[in-house]
Every structure is written in structure tokens, then in C-alpha cells.
Amino acid sequence: MKIILPIAAALLLTTAAGAQTPGKEGVAAARTTNGVANWTTYNADLKGSRYSPLDQINPGNFKDLEIAWRFKTDILGSRPEYKLESTPLAVDGVIYTTGGTRRAVVALNGATGELLWQYAMHEGKRSAESPRALSGRGLSYWTDGTRRRILYVTIGYRLVSLDADTGRPDPEFGTNGVVDLKTDYDQDLGDLDTGEVGVHSAPAVSGNTIIIGAAFREGFTPKTHNNTKGYVRAFDVRTGKRMWTFHTVPKKGEVGYETWLNNSADVNGNTGVWTQVSVDEDLGLAYLAVESPTSDFFGGKRPGPNLFGNSLVAVDLKTGERRWHFQLIHHEIWDLDNSSAPLLMDVTVDGKSRKVVGLPSKQGFFYVFDRATGQPVWPIKETKVAKGNVPGEWYSPTQPIPSKPPVYARNGVEEKDLIDFTPDMKKKALELTSKYVLGPVYTPPIVSTPEKFGVINNWAQGGTNWPGGSFDPESGIAYVYACGACISSTGLLPPPAGLSDIPLVVGVAGQPVVMIKGPGEGAGADSPAPAAAPGSGNAGPPRLAVDGLPLVKPPYGTISAIDVNNGTIKWQVAHGETPDFVRNHPVIKAMGGIPRTGQSTYQIGTLVTKGLVVAGENQFTRTEDRPRGAMLRAYDKQTGKEVGAVFMPSTQSGSPMTYMVNGKQYIIVPTSGGNASGEFLAYALPSKR
């Protein structure tokens, strides 16, 4: 293990002298003092709001924004990164962020983007074998009013505490500033270099407690159902000592063990918390959005509902003891793992003040619970769902379906969802889908055959993925992006010898089963089907498109304003310019054009300010009034009307944030993708001359 020392021993800004007295969160709260406003956690606050009260950038001038500075991450590793997802922090005029293929930590001058210090760790084989590589999603900040620390998790699953002023490891934390998260884990990982566990998300820091989740390979067919278990742990922010562990797969004698029939909790894994953890410090609760157990689409090795898989769990912040839980999906077999940070909102329901937790989802449901008791705010009914016929599978007869708010994203793929720009296109769509199974959410997977290749679905990347949602704490309205055209087909086949001990894995009849890796969280089903084997006589399933257009009708991507006071959708807009291949299609041109379709992607996060909802595009387009690129768009948060847009030379790939320094408001957008490597773009209004 080799450490790259900081390039500067001290900051050029007066950050140490400007350290703030900590609030309950142990971090400087978002506020404006002497021309400075901070953004001190990944989601702006521990409640997950992604909200700032700043309004220097507003509906009247958003269109005037210019790039104030930009920071390229190419130097932060051995090669450029094309998947920059990190959201920076802003503390007293300094920007802290991870970046690059080494997952380096950098401190930047918030007014100019100048590099102040850098820290990175060379982890050798452990980094190369990690299931969660690249720059990750971000980092965390802590202060007790004197000491100031930056905390993050390396690619190789080590927790590091750095002095925020110098970038040097804290000698009082762990071993020379480092805690090895692959040890003291309540399970044996074997070889620490190759033991499968890592994390992308930023640590949650509350008071003196650091909470760390666990994540595994994205979209892989696991080698074994007995994979690493995704336990959640807490550590002391000053010493790095482990405080508690919550077993997301219960041990014998613990609550939930009986829901894994045949003692299958002993021999199954995953069930981690790879998204952000939210914390209510007044209630002393941390909220864990737990993912699916192994494996994504076949659960025959784990019969039963499988707590705490696909559950929202509230645990005691100090002890890790479970206070309440609600399982959103029983025995999950659709890769609809919990992807979003819980949103802790104070709202008024039926004239009464309520402290609630809202959870966006891949399935387009927005679940709402009392965050002290876990009771649903509106009824969530156990609803009968279809039972499949996959050999060896166990099926839950019902699934919990919320009565309110209404579904805010495409929920399953049925005939009514198919393209219908013309009668001929609808006819072709029906012919194409005759080789597949269509159905609503929770339509069970099938064994792939030449007659039915699989189920057309929007499971893995539909709805809301890892960027999650945001909300206005004053109005109780949540703003959530969702993908409506992230569809794929999923069928199951036996794996070849040596690939996996799971009886059925993702595959297409007549084609070789291979280990498939997708581009996003839980993306196994969204990977392109492998090409037909030479001489197999099978050309493979048809592409899910009609005359070059998406199989499903628009909108392809939306932002919804969900009023959590009454469980309604206040407004919904298609987010993103209509893709060039759609807008310029001969049929669309002959129709005289169509309304904006929005764009299909799984990685759009929203920012909320006093008057705006801000989000960028994730696809390049070219229009008559601008060159090829993407737009950063702003909407009136009350009406959804677009009030401004500015050009980005690359596409948004992480969630935006905002801060103020020297009386000037900035918005930072992480960008990357295609042939554009990672870069942070900082926008501000033009300076007066």
C-alpha cells in the first residue's frame, strides 16, 4: 500500500480560522454568513434534501450563467475516468471531492478551482480486484469546532480520515489515519485483496458516529449464492473504533432469520446498503435502504421473504439496534433493489404535522412512512401478484403496493406502453413483442426459450436509481427524476460449468451464457444480449426498437414534483431535449414533430434552491441554436415551467450542488461520458465589470 502525500501543507484560505461551531450533525450547517454558504454532506444535509436556500441564481437570471471555473480529473489516477459520479462538498470557501480512477481526494479553492491539496492511496491488487472502482460518489466532513476532518472510503474498502486543512491522515484515527473495513466484519472474507466488498457512497457522519454500508459487483452473475453479506457498521469519528454492526442478513436467533426458510440466511449474501444513509438526529435514528439478496433474478437458493432484503430499516444511531422495518418487496427476483437515499421530511397530513420518511424507487412507487414508528402514512396494501413457473423458485403470493402517492414512472411494460406514433409502428411493436412476455410490475422472470426470449421490463434501471430524489423542506414537495425508457429483456438459463453455482442466471435461448456486466447499479438485465455463437443458427432476439425508435412511447425521462402533504403529483415534466435520432426521424418530421420526450438515463440527480429545481442532461444533442452538447436546465419549482438552460460541453454524470463564497453563488455539475473524461464545471453569474 502506497500513499500519495498532499501537495500542500496548508490551505491558502483562512479555513482553520473560519471553522464553525458544530450543530447536532457535527458539521457546519447550510447557511449564509459573511458571504459564505456551505454544502457539508453529500445530500446537503443528513435528511437527504439536496436543498439550499440560496437565490442569487434565480428564475430571472439562470440563463445567464457562465462557467466560472472547471477542474479536470484526468491527473487523479493512471488513466482518465469516464464515469465521474462524485458530488463535492463546500465548507467555508473550500471544495472537497473525490475524483479520478485512483479515487483521490482533492481540496479546491471554491472561487477559482485552484488545487490546494491532494491525497490518494495506491492499493495494488486490492484496488484492481475491487467490486466498486473509480471515484465513487463522494466524501464526508466533520468538525468539533477545533478539529476538521474529511472522511472517505477508498476503492479497496478502507476508511480514511484526513485533516481538512492539510490533507494529511489523522494519526489518532485507526492505524495512521486508516481503518481496514475488510476486517472486524463479523464474517470471514478470506483473502483481503480479493474478498468481494466495497462501496461507492459517502459515509454518513452524525455527531461522533460514522456509518458505512457495503456494495458488490455491478450487474455481475455472482460465482456463488453464498456471497459476502452486506452488513452495515458504525465507527467512532475520532478513533475509528467499531461501535456497532447491523446484520442485514440476520444471524440465527435474530429477528428475521426465520424469513429465510431452510436456514438459507446462512448460505446467501449481498443485501447491502450501497446508497446513502439518512439520519434523524432528534429521533436518534439512521435509515438504511437495503438492497436485494443474492442473486438478482433467481432466488431459489433462499426461499422465503428474506428480511432485511429490499427493506427500509430504522436503527438506533448509538447502538445499531433495529427500531422498525418495512419490507418493500418480499423475496425480490427483479433487481429492484433499494437505490435511493431516504428523504426525511416534515409535512402536514390531514391538518396534522408529521415527521415522515419518503423513499423513491426503481418501480416508480414513492413510499411514505412515519419516521418514528414506521407506520405507512397512507395504506400500503398487500396485493396479489402473478406466480411464475421457474423450476426451483420460491414466490411470494403478494407484494406491498402503496395507495398514495400515485406511480410517478413507467411501472412494468404492457401493450399500452408500446410506441404508437403511427398504426404501422404499433403493429410492428406488437409483432416484435410477441416473442416476449409483457406485464405489470412484479411480472415474474421466465426461463428463456426460442418461443419466448424473456420478459420485457424496466427493472434494473427504470424509475429512480442511485441519484435518488430531493425535496424542499419548507413546502414538503419532493422532486424526483425517473427513467421511463430504460427497458430490457430478461430470461433465465442454466449457467455453464464453472460460471456460477446459482442454478439459473441471465441468458438468451440459443446463445452462450456469459458473465454479463452492466454499466450501472444492479445493471445485469440491462447489458446488451451477447452475440449469437458462430454456427449456432440463432441470430438472437430482435432489438427492442421499431424502425430505429424506442419500443416504448415517451416520455423517456421525467422529473416529478410529489406533494408529500397530500400524496399527489403536483407536476411532471419531460426532462431533457428529444434525442437527435428521434427528433430527426423521417416519421417524426412528417408528423411535424412531437413534444419534448425527455431522455432515458439512470443517473440524473436534482438540486433544489429557493426558487429552482436544477438538473442536467445525460445525452448529447444538437439544435439549430447551439452546438452538440448537453444542457443544464432549471424549472420553477412551483409550476415545473422551464425558466432557463445553459450549455454544458459534456453530460451530467453526478448530482449537482450549490454554495456561496465571497458573496457569489456557484453551481457545480460533475460531467463525463462518451469521449469526455471526468470534469467538474462550476457555473456562476457573470462578474460585473
Side-chain angles (χ1 to χ4, degrees):
M1 180 177 70
K2 181 180 178 183
I3 294 175
I4 301 174
L5 293 176
I7 64 171
L11 295 178
L12 301 180
L13 303 178
T14 58
T15 55
Q20 305 294 325
T21 301
K24 291 181 180 179
E25 296 180 1
V27 296
R31 65 201 178 286
T32 305
T33 304
N34 298 324
V36 173
N38 294 329
W39 183 284
T40 54
T41 72
Y42 174 84
N43 279 325
D45 52 47
L46 289 174
K47 294 184 176 182
S49 72
R50 303 199 63 80
Y51 169 83
S52 171
L54 293 176
D55 65 349
Q56 185 180 92
I57 299 171
N58 55 56
N61 59 27
F62 185 90
K63 67 182 185 307
D64 300 323
L65 290 178
E66 298 177 347
I67 295 178
W69 57 261
R70 52 205 302 177
F71 182 81
K72 198 77 170 171
T73 66
D74 290 2
I75 63 170
L76 305 178
S78 59
R79 64 191 189 281
E81 177 186 20
Y82 293 87
K83 193 182 179 186
L84 176 62
E85 298 176 344
S86 180
T87 295
L89 308 184
V91 184
D92 301 338
V94 179
I95 301 301
Y96 301 97
T97 189
T98 55
T101 54
R102 187 81 61 196
R103 196 177 294 180
V105 178
V106 295
L108 309 174
N109 184 315
T112 66
E114 177 187 3
L115 179 64
L116 301 173
W117 58 254
Q118 172 193 344
Y119 172 92
M121 186 179 289
H122 287 264
E123 298 178 280
K125 182 180 179 181
R126 184 158 166 166
S127 176
E129 295 286 340
S130 173
R132 295 292 162 137
L134 304 177
S135 59
R137 306 266 154 79
L139 37 71
S140 300
Y141 170 78
W142 172 87
T143 181
D144 62 2
T146 302
R147 291 172 291 184
R148 296 151 39 85
R149 298 291 181 260
I150 297 298
L151 299 122
Y152 88 111
V153 180
T154 69
I155 293 173
Y157 206 47
R158 291 179 168 101
L159 174 61
V160 182
S161 177
L162 304 173
D163 186 300
D165 295 330
T166 67
R168 297 187 183 280
D170 177 0
E172 298 179 359
F173 184 87
T175 302
N176 299 320
V178 179
V179 171
D180 190 338
L181 295 173
K182 287 191 176 183
T183 62
D184 202 13
Y185 195 22
D186 287 5
Q187 56 187 311
D188 183 10
L189 294 179
D191 186 336
L192 295 184
D193 282 340
T194 59
E196 187 186 322
V197 65
V199 79
H200 262 148
S201 56
V205 181
S206 174
N208 296 323
T209 303
I210 310 168
I211 302 175
I212 305 289
F216 307 95
R217 298 194 185 278
E218 297 182 52
F220 262 95
T221 297
K223 293 181 179 179
T224 175
H225 57 86
N226 194 16
N227 202 20
T228 309
K229 302 179 195 301
Y231 296 158
V232 179
R233 287 171 291 170
F235 300 85
D236 185 281
V237 74
R238 290 184 171 87
T239 66
K241 181 180 179 181
R242 186 180 74 160
M243 298 171 62
W244 52 258
T245 299
F246 179 75
H247 298 135
T248 53
V249 179
K251 290 179 174 289
K252 192 170 185 177
E254 294 180 340
V255 172
Y257 183 84
E258 71 284 355
T259 68
W260 300 68
L261 304 182
N262 304 333
N263 301 320
S264 56
D266 300 336
V267 291
N268 283 274
N270 287 63
T271 321
V273 176
W274 56 256
T275 190
Q276 295 298 136
V277 173
S278 299
V279 177
D280 184 324
E281 294 182 300
D282 292 328
L283 293 175
L285 296 178
Y287 298 86
L288 314 178
V290 186
E291 64 147 354
S292 313
T294 317
S295 64
D296 287 340
F297 303 103
F298 179 80
K301 291 291 186 178
R302 48 174 173 87
N306 306 144
L307 286 176
F308 292 96
N310 299 87
S311 299
L312 179 61
V313 185
V315 300
D316 187 285
L317 184 61
K318 293 182 179 180
T319 67
E321 180 183 358
R322 179 189 62 89
R323 292 288 186 84
W324 61 260
H325 73 272
F326 191 98
Q327 190 172 48
L328 309 176
I329 303 176
H330 310 313
H331 190 80
E332 209 277 340
I333 49 174
W334 299 274
D335 197 13
L336 292 170
D337 45 334
N338 286 331
S339 59
S340 302
L343 306 180
L344 311 187
M345 308 175 66
D346 296 342
V347 297
T348 302
V349 180
D350 296 331
K352 297 180 180 180
S353 298
R354 298 288 301 270
K355 293 181 178 297
V356 305
V357 51
L359 193 68
S361 67
K362 289 183 179 182
Q363 53 268 43
F365 295 131
F366 190 92
Y367 301 88
V368 186
F369 306 94
D370 183 293
R371 65 178 188 259
T373 67
Q375 290 298 311
V377 171
W378 296 288
I380 298 180
K381 182 181 179 181
E382 287 290 341
T383 305
K384 186 177 179 180
V385 295
K387 181 179 179 180
N389 57 5
V390 170
E393 185 58 274
W394 187 95
Y395 295 96
S396 174
T398 64
Q399 295 294 346
I401 305 294
S403 59
K404 293 173 70 173
V407 174
Y408 65 88
R410 179 164 281 124
N411 188 259
V413 179
E414 303 180 70
E415 182 177 328
K416 63 182 176 59
D417 297 299
L418 301 180
I419 186 173
D420 59 359
F421 290 139
T422 67
D424 182 61
M425 285 185 169
K426 183 61 178 285
K427 179 181 178 182
K428 290 179 178 178
L430 292 173
E431 292 173 351
L432 186 157
T433 56
S434 67
K435 299 287 286 183
Y436 297 90
V437 172
L438 300 179
V441 65
Y442 305 134
T443 297
I446 66 169
V447 174
S448 184
T449 68
E451 292 72 35
K452 294 288 184 181
F453 290 117
V455 178
I456 295 180
N457 62 80
N458 55 347
W459 297 336
Q461 292 179 359
T464 305
N465 211 287
W466 63 262
S470 57
F471 67 88
D472 181 345
E474 297 180 1
S475 68
I477 296 175
Y479 301 92
V480 187
Y481 172 84
C483 184
C486 293
I487 67 168
S488 60
S489 67
T490 303
L492 301 175
L493 288 176
L499 178 67
S500 176
D501 66 8
I502 297 172
L504 292 167
V505 300
V506 175
V508 180
Q511 298 187 31
V513 175
V514 297
M515 186 172 283
I516 302 175
K517 183 178 185 296
E521 300 287 357
D526 289 83
S527 305
S536 68
N538 190 335
R543 184 168 169 237
L544 301 183
V546 172
D547 295 341
L549 293 174
L551 176 64
V552 294
K553 62 179 68 171
Y556 304 143
T558 59
I559 293 176
S560 301
I562 302 173
D563 191 331
V564 187
N565 299 282
N566 54 34
T568 62
I569 296 178
K570 186 177 177 67
W571 53 257
Q572 185 177 87
V573 296
H575 174 65
E577 183 60 75
T578 302
D580 291 346
F581 76 95
V582 176
R583 188 175 63 254
N584 297 325
H585 193 279
V587 171
I588 302 301
K589 284 190 170 183
M591 295 169 56
I594 56 176
R596 181 182 289 174
T597 64
Q599 298 176 354
S600 59
T601 176
Y602 62 91
Q603 54 186 30
I604 293 298
T606 51
L607 162 68
V608 185
T609 68
K610 186 173 183 179
L612 299 172
V613 178
V614 179
E617 296 177 336
N618 189 249
Q619 294 180 22
F620 285 119
T621 58
R622 185 196 306 274
T623 61
E624 295 179 356
D625 58 348
R626 63 169 173 80
R628 182 172 173 79
M631 301 299 286
L632 180 65
R633 300 187 183 275
Y635 304 91
D636 183 296
K637 69 181 186 182
Q638 298 300 325
T639 66
K641 178 182 178 182
E642 184 174 311
V643 294
V646 292
F647 180 77
M648 299 189 298
S650 186
T651 57
Q652 177 177 316
S653 54
S655 298
M657 54 81 73
T658 189
Y659 65 99
M660 178 175 282
V661 59
N662 299 331
K664 193 178 190 69
Q665 184 183 356
Y666 296 80
I667 294 175
I668 294 181
V669 186
T671 64
S672 64
N675 61 0
S677 57
E679 185 174 27
F680 293 103
L681 302 178
Y683 287 88
L685 295 171
S687 298
K688 295 181 180 179
R689 297 174 180 173

